[in-house]
Amino acid sequence: MKYLPFLFLIAFLFINDLIAQSNILAKLDNSEITSEEFLKRFELTPRIRSSTNIDSQKVHFLYTLTAEKLWAEDARRQNLDTLELFEQYIMNLEKMFVRDALFKKEVDSKINITSEELSEAMNRKRSELHLKFLFSQSKGDIDSLYQLLSEVPVDSILQDRPERKEQIAPVKVVFGQMKEGLEDSLYNLDVNEYTKPIFNDIGWVIYYLQNKVELSGPTLGDQETFYSELNEVLTTRKKQKLMNDYLRNLLKDVNIRADGEMFQRLVDLLFSALSKKDFNTETSIFYLYEDDILKIINSVESNLLAEDFIKFRENPISFKNFLYYLYTNNFKSNGLDKASIRNSLNGVVREFIQFEIIARKGYKENLHLLPEIQNELDMWENNFLSQYLRNTYTSKARVTDSELEKHISAISDSLISTTFVSITEAKFNNLDEVHYLFSRMQSGESFEEVVQSLNLSSNRLHHSDSLKPISEYIELTNIIEDMEPGSIYGPVVRADGYSVIKLHQREKRELSFIEKNKLQIDNEREILFYEKLKDLVENRTIELAEEQDLQINENRLKDIQVTEVPALIFRYYGFGGQTVAAPFSDLFYDWFYKYQSKEKEAL
């Protein structure tokens, strides 16, 4: 079902109906934050489960979102929106949004469940099938078994069959559990009847219906649950059929290929990049991420990047554009040998061609001009530009030896209050792995149980058995400070993927400088660097607020009703594609209090 769109919410299903009115919460020279935008971003952004009341969380998030807008506007003034990296990133996002809009038009809008289909589904859902089966990978063997069933009972045949061990008790099947075609065959059986041989992914199967049990009310759940589950199965199947029919018609007679020589060159480049990475011996899927693909792009000659790679008759796709598609979506292979890489790349190329054909159809119908797509793009553009510009300030925060000496001198004679914490940090390569973690936790497993079962390597799992200074977790310090013991937060975007953190314990200790020096003298320069960077970014944000005549009306926040349950939400797009439901923005709000103080002083 990878092509069907839905929002998967780890803790709750919400955002069915955003605020209709566009009340302005913050206004800048060239942009604004409306109640609708705020609510969408707030509900779709992971939050720390903390003691901070929900009204304060809303205020802090508004200041964070405002800073993002300020930096994005400044980035545009500096023409950072003309960077190739930005343009390629947004182009690939827009194509995904256009495909999704076409899916809604050609699939979602045409779903119609008839009364006959509903009645048939209700009857099936009220019964449970008890099945036995015969299996063989050989067509000749399964045909012989089929003939034998007319003379010998299935239980007698099973006595000498290896699949007997898998069905000591009959296999129980309920409505929606099997593929629709197979389900039709099974539910059309009477008790003691069997199907003809049916081929599946692993071989041939004959199903035998031993019993059909009518389910009682408690097993079926309440009426709302019953009809909700029923509708979900029917709707999903309708979507799949409508989508398959649409794609079959759209893609018929399509014969578009990639350039053979360039394809092989890319296989070599991917092989070289994967060979340089240090993978765990237990790894079964090998990934290349944004930085890896960017290195490949930068290593290829400019004339080759401009060559046509995907041979569309009109507007062929350049090698560079395809590489940036990999940059946006990452690359994965089931092996490190060239044959495995070639096979994986071949699948990516086929998928890309299909996606491109679908997107071009959407552009022909001007779906890219839909207001919802433009608003969605604006949200992602602001987030990208803001983060990109803020990241350029890291070079300005470099700590000199004299600054470090002055810093140490200022604290050498004082007692220092230091927070000690115990945490577990699990690192993941991609959002699918994060999704899997939270799905299992939602099913009732603890964070520790799931993490232990994943067998993460030592460089992907950090667990502090004892309390350690919070300064050791420099990039995570602000997040950990806002967490309560026992709480879990994530995903946090890291340079090498995503992190999910659990805070076990926190304790304040008074240390002399000598004691602190023993613990973290090697960290002092880095601590000072982050303090300096924080000051630089906060001060620049204040300058931008002044330059762009910032006006904030946080009183309107009181009228915006939000949920108080943190959630991690993924969005799956029609015809394929996945992102988090909204771009991440780490909380950044202290700048506003400094800004307020400065404004008051100026009065």
Side-chain angles (χ1 to χ4, degrees):
M1 292 296 172
K2 68 176 269 193
Y3 295 114
L4 300 183
F6 61 91
L7 291 179
F8 186 86
L9 285 68
I10 299 302
F12 65 97
L13 185 60
F14 190 64
I15 310 296
N16 290 325
D17 196 10
L18 296 178
I19 292 178
Q21 68 275 22
S22 294
N23 293 326
I24 296 174
L25 301 176
K27 186 167 180 57
L28 291 67
D29 281 345
N30 299 313
S31 62
E32 60 191 23
I33 300 172
T34 64
S35 299
E36 181 182 23
E37 179 182 2
F38 173 86
L39 178 59
K40 182 176 182 178
R41 290 291 297 275
F42 185 85
E43 293 290 5
L44 299 181
T45 298
R47 283 172 274 139
I48 299 172
R49 194 187 296 269
S50 71
S51 58
T52 306
N53 65 60
I54 195 66
D55 289 330
S56 295
Q57 290 182 42
K58 284 156 61 176
V59 170
H60 293 166
F61 193 77
L62 176 58
Y63 298 160
T64 299
L65 206 53
T66 301
E68 181 180 280
K69 292 268 188 177
L70 290 167
W71 282 83
E73 285 301 309
D74 192 38
R76 289 187 177 91
R77 285 204 295 263
Q78 298 183 41
N79 295 321
L80 296 182
D81 56 344
T82 63
L83 289 172
E84 183 174 67
L85 186 65
F86 171 79
E87 290 178 339
Q88 291 281 349
Y89 171 77
I90 295 302
M91 179 184 70
N92 281 294
L93 269 181
E94 184 179 74
K95 286 181 179 181
M96 187 163 57
F97 297 158
V98 168
R99 294 195 301 268
D100 188 62
L102 186 66
F103 187 96
K104 291 173 181 174
K105 178 182 177 183
E106 298 294 344
V107 177
D108 278 344
S109 67
K110 298 180 180 180
I111 292 174
N112 178 42
I113 300 172
T114 66
S115 57
E116 291 80 7
E117 290 170 330
L118 183 61
S119 176
E120 175 69 20
M122 289 171 62
N123 289 333
R124 290 184 177 183
K125 188 166 177 59
R126 291 192 177 106
S127 61
E128 180 181 77
L129 306 182
H130 292 190
L131 302 168
K132 292 194 173 183
F133 64 89
L134 298 171
F135 169 79
S136 177
Q137 293 181 325
S138 165
K139 180 67 166 64
D141 184 36
I142 203 72
D143 286 341
S144 298
L145 292 171
Y146 182 70
Q147 294 296 326
L148 189 60
L149 277 170
S150 62
E151 304 172 2
V152 181
V154 67
D155 285 335
S156 298
I157 297 175
L158 278 171
Q159 290 300 317
D160 300 320
R161 302 288 303 177
E163 61 266 31
R164 176 178 59 86
K165 298 176 182 178
E166 300 177 40
Q167 45 190 315
I168 296 173
V171 178
K172 298 178 181 179
V173 172
V174 294
F175 173 71
Q177 187 176 335
M178 313 291 275
K179 291 182 179 179
E180 188 173 6
L182 176 56
E183 184 181 272
D184 289 340
S185 299
L186 298 179
Y187 273 92
N188 286 332
L189 293 174
D190 290 327
V191 174
N192 295 324
E193 288 186 342
Y194 48 88
T195 67
K196 292 182 178 180
I198 297 173
F199 184 73
N200 61 24
D201 294 336
I202 59 172
W204 294 90
V205 184
I206 297 171
Y207 294 93
Y208 170 83
L209 180 60
Q210 185 181 65
N211 197 9
K212 182 182 289 187
V213 178
E214 294 301 314
L215 299 176
S216 60
T219 306
L220 294 171
D222 58 47
Q223 188 172 356
E224 182 179 354
T225 301
F226 178 84
Y227 283 104
S228 174
E229 293 175 350
L230 198 70
N231 185 66
E232 183 180 352
V233 172
L234 291 175
T235 300
T236 298
R237 288 176 172 176
K238 284 282 186 177
K239 282 185 180 182
Q240 190 71 49
K241 184 178 186 308
L242 285 166
M243 184 195 71
N244 290 342
D245 291 344
Y246 180 80
L247 289 178
R248 191 178 299 111
N249 182 63
L250 180 66
L251 301 175
K252 66 181 179 182
D253 302 324
V254 167
N255 186 21
I256 299 168
R257 297 182 179 277
D259 181 275
E261 290 185 11
M262 296 171 72
F263 181 92
Q264 185 55 49
R265 172 72 185 277
L266 183 51
V267 169
D268 294 339
L269 290 167
L270 294 169
F271 173 77
S272 176
L274 286 165
S275 300
K276 293 173 183 176
K277 292 177 71 74
D278 183 22
F279 291 105
N280 186 275
T281 54
E282 298 174 354
T283 301
S284 58
I285 300 179
F286 306 90
Y287 285 89
L288 291 176
Y289 296 104
E290 294 177 354
D291 289 346
D292 303 310
I293 302 299
L294 204 54
K295 288 177 183 176
I296 290 176
I297 294 172
N298 292 331
S299 72
V300 177
E301 314 88 86
S302 58
N303 61 324
L304 180 58
L305 289 173
E307 290 287 326
D308 295 339
F309 179 53
I310 308 292
K311 304 293 188 175
F312 281 89
R313 184 174 299 174
E314 296 181 12
N315 300 318
I317 303 298
S318 70
F319 195 40
K320 178 173 67 178
N321 283 356
F322 181 78
L323 287 173
Y324 271 110
Y325 172 80
L326 289 184
Y327 169 85
T328 304
N329 295 277
N330 302 324
F331 175 78
K332 63 181 179 181
S333 173
N334 292 325
L336 293 174
D337 58 289
K338 286 191 178 182
S340 297
I341 295 169
R342 187 179 297 109
N343 185 56
S344 296
L345 181 59
N346 195 45
V348 174
V349 169
R350 285 200 306 269
E351 181 181 70
F352 176 86
I353 292 171
Q354 178 171 306
F355 282 176
E356 185 67 19
I357 293 170
I358 298 168
R360 291 185 181 195
K361 175 66 172 173
Y363 279 107
K364 283 183 181 178
E365 298 185 17
N366 292 320
L367 297 182
H368 59 294
L369 301 178
L370 291 172
E372 55 265 37
I373 287 183
Q374 292 304 311
N375 291 338
E376 191 88 1
L377 276 176
D378 185 63
M379 175 178 70
W380 287 92
E381 286 177 2
N382 287 336
N383 180 264
F384 182 100
L385 290 171
S386 172
Q387 290 192 34
Y388 188 93
L389 182 55
R390 284 172 60 173
N391 286 343
T392 64
Y393 272 60
T394 55
S395 61
K396 300 178 182 180
R398 192 172 292 115
V399 177
T400 66
D401 291 340
S402 61
E403 287 174 324
L404 180 61
E405 185 178 344
K406 184 178 179 181
H407 168 71
I408 292 176
S409 176
I411 61 175
S412 59
D413 297 325
S414 62
L415 282 174
I416 300 163
S417 178
T418 298
T419 301
F420 280 68
V421 296
S422 170
I423 72 165
T424 295
E425 179 188 7
K427 296 181 179 180
F428 301 95
N429 291 320
N430 55 68
L431 287 170
D432 286 338
E433 294 177 353
V434 178
H435 179 183
Y436 179 70
L437 166 71
F438 279 98
S439 296
R440 288 182 57 180
M441 288 172 57
Q442 180 66 14
S443 300
E445 295 182 73
S446 70
F447 175 78
E448 289 78 8
E449 288 172 338
V450 181
V451 168
Q452 183 177 6
S453 72
L454 295 176
N455 293 318
L456 297 176
S457 59
S458 57
N459 62 335
R460 294 179 62 194
L461 180 63
H462 169 83
H463 176 74
S464 51
D465 295 320
S466 58
L467 290 167
K468 296 183 179 180
I470 195 172
S471 56
E472 289 194 10
Y473 309 102
I474 294 171
E475 289 181 279
L476 303 173
T477 298
N478 291 337
I479 292 172
I480 297 172
E481 283 179 342
D482 285 336
M483 295 176 68
E484 294 294 324
S487 64
I488 298 168
Y489 180 72
V492 180
V493 181
R494 306 294 295 272
D496 54 351
Y498 302 87
S499 286
V500 177
I501 309 157
K502 178 168 184 178
L503 175 62
H504 301 290
Q505 193 177 353
R506 177 168 52 204
E507 180 181 303
K508 282 276 189 181
R509 293 182 186 174
E510 295 291 332
L511 304 176
S512 68
F513 176 72
I514 293 175
E515 291 172 314
K516 188 172 183 180
N517 184 55
K518 290 177 181 178
L519 285 169
Q520 59 179 62
I521 188 62
D522 293 336
N523 292 332
E524 284 299 334
R525 184 184 293 274
E526 198 165 0
I527 292 169
L528 184 56
F529 165 79
Y530 279 100
E531 289 177 356
K532 188 176 178 181
L533 179 61
K534 184 173 182 286
D535 287 339
L536 282 170
V537 174
E538 286 181 350
N539 292 337
R540 180 55 183 159
T541 308
I542 292 169
E543 290 175 2
L544 292 173
E546 293 169 343
E547 292 172 9
Q548 298 186 40
D549 192 25
L550 173 63
Q551 299 174 46
I552 283 191
N553 185 359
E554 63 186 62
N555 290 328
R556 289 186 182 271
L557 287 175
K558 298 174 183 177
D559 300 324
I560 300 178
Q561 299 301 310
V562 299
T563 59
E564 298 191 37
V565 182
L568 172 63
I569 307 170
F570 294 90
R571 180 177 175 182
Y572 293 82
Y573 295 87
F575 294 121
Q578 169 191 344
T579 65
V580 286
F584 291 140
S585 285
D586 290 332
L587 286 177
F588 177 63
Y589 53 83
D590 287 339
W591 70 271
F592 188 79
Y593 300 113
K594 294 182 180 179
Y595 170 70
Q596 273 185 322
S597 299
K598 190 174 180 181
E599 290 286 293
K600 290 177 181 177
E601 290 173 3
L603 295 178

